[in-house]
Amino acid sequence: MPDGATIGALLAAATARMKQADVAETPRLDAILLLAHVSGLTADRIRIAPDAPVSPKVAAAFEVLLKRRLAREPVSKILGVREFWSLDFRTGRDVLDPRPDSETLVAGVLAAVPDRKAALRLVDFGTGSGCLLLSLLHELPNATGLGIDISPPALAIAQDNADRLGLSARVTFRRGDWGRGCDGSFDILISNPPYIESGTVPQLEPEVAQYDPVLALDGGPDGLQAYRQLIPDLARLAAPDSLAALEVGMGQDVAVEQLMAAAGFASIAVLPDLGGIGRVVTGRKSVQIP
């Protein structure tokens, strides 16, 4: 970066480098977020002050982060935080990045809850960062939650997010392999399991294949392995009139509907994401499933 650079000059040069490397869909926004992080300025301030000078120290720190972005590391992993459901979640290499498509699950569950003040019991399998469970607890003030994940580092991040959001008194995180060893009954059962076909994982864009954990991506040969393991346990743990909601990959909604129906769930529905893709499959359990 040039000595005595201004905000505008830094952003222009960084944007051009990212475009040339075909790194980002939003190169200027990426540059603004990185510069905000190292400078302590808000993104809005950076946008309106292109002629403001940037110190050599800030310019050097910005260059370090820019090189990481040019190596295809996602901005959220560089900054260590990602917004989801208007909340800030800590993220990192040990958890799947929260993504806007997953907000479909949160919205769908909330739309199905007749009384948001009820003392509901929630469980989230493969909780990762905890974004799904914690977003729901944020909206359901008297609910309690259990988040299960096989990865201790992921559980540590989820607990940190609960602490940051002031929700740690209403949530417990526990190491586990899907529903194995889990007992009790729950009113809302959710999961965003790995659903990418094993052979496809290496072909994903570098931001995903290199920086998201394989455990959170690889769904087995056909992408449905986790659903086959999990759905019978959802049926076992579901309280009467409970709701189960599962995020699915493109084109997997029919297969997951069939798995849920075979496990005894009824009133099965598919919820589309903002792109119109069937993203979440929900089902209700009105009676005890043997």
Side-chain angles (χ1 to χ4, degrees):
M1 292 295 177
D3 292 335
T6 63
I7 285 176
L10 282 183
L11 292 180
T15 300
R17 288 166 68 185
M18 282 190 276
K19 284 183 177 179
Q20 184 176 13
D22 196 22
V23 165
E25 294 182 0
T26 55
R28 184 171 176 81
L29 175 60
D30 287 8
I32 288 172
L33 294 174
L34 296 178
L35 185 55
H37 184 71
V38 297
S39 68
L41 299 174
T42 66
D44 287 341
R45 177 62 182 165
I46 287 172
R47 288 187 178 96
I48 65 173
D51 296 326
V54 177
S55 71
K57 182 179 179 180
V58 168
F62 176 68
E63 176 67 15
V64 170
L65 298 193
L66 177 59
K67 286 180 177 177
R68 289 172 63 181
R69 185 66 189 101
L70 289 168
R72 303 300 294 268
E73 186 173 355
V75 171
S76 57
K77 303 291 192 189
I78 297 172
L79 304 184
V81 66
R82 176 118 178 201
E83 182 181 306
F84 181 86
W85 202 253
S86 299
L87 303 170
D88 285 337
F89 286 90
R90 179 186 161 202
T91 186
R93 287 179 179 249
D94 295 305
V95 296
L96 189 71
D97 252 12
R99 288 172 168 81
D101 287 343
S102 297
E103 293 186 348
T104 304
L105 187 149
V106 177
V109 168
L110 292 174
V113 173
D115 179 8
R116 293 195 182 187
K117 295 183 179 180
L120 301 169
R121 299 156 296 176
L122 282 65
V123 62
D124 179 14
F125 294 97
T127 194
S129 67
C131 65
L132 294 175
L133 179 59
L134 296 173
S135 295
L136 287 169
L137 292 178
H138 180 76
E139 301 288 345
L140 304 170
N142 297 313
T144 56
L146 170 64
I148 295 176
D149 204 289
I150 199 169
S151 166
L155 291 170
I157 290 176
Q159 183 64 62
D160 184 59
N161 282 324
D163 295 342
R164 289 165 177 255
L165 295 170
L167 295 169
S168 55
R170 293 195 284 125
V171 67
T172 300
F173 293 104
R174 180 190 306 165
R175 187 166 187 254
D177 185 5
W178 300 120
R180 294 177 185 174
C182 185
D183 54 20
S185 63
F186 299 90
D187 304 297
I188 298 174
L189 308 95
I190 63 172
S191 182
N192 177 17
Y195 52 68
I196 307 296
E197 296 177 4
S198 299
T200 303
V201 172
Q203 303 169 26
L204 297 172
E205 58 186 11
E207 284 84 350
V208 177
Q210 296 178 18
Y211 294 98
D212 277 333
V214 174
L215 276 175
L217 299 171
D218 192 338
D222 64 354
L224 299 171
Q225 180 174 305
Y227 300 98
R228 295 191 186 96
Q229 293 176 335
L230 178 59
I231 288 174
D233 280 327
L234 295 185
R236 175 176 60 83
L237 297 165
D241 200 33
S242 62
L243 176 74
L246 301 174
E247 182 169 335
V248 299
M250 183 185 299
Q252 294 176 330
D253 50 322
V254 173
V256 174
E257 282 184 274
Q258 293 171 347
L259 289 170
M260 291 186 72
F265 285 94
S267 303
I268 298 173
V270 177
L271 309 179
D273 61 20
L274 293 176
I277 296 167
R279 183 61 61 187
V280 175
V281 179
T282 64
R284 284 201 173 272
K285 177 190 167 186
S286 56
V287 295
Q288 194 71 25
I289 300 173

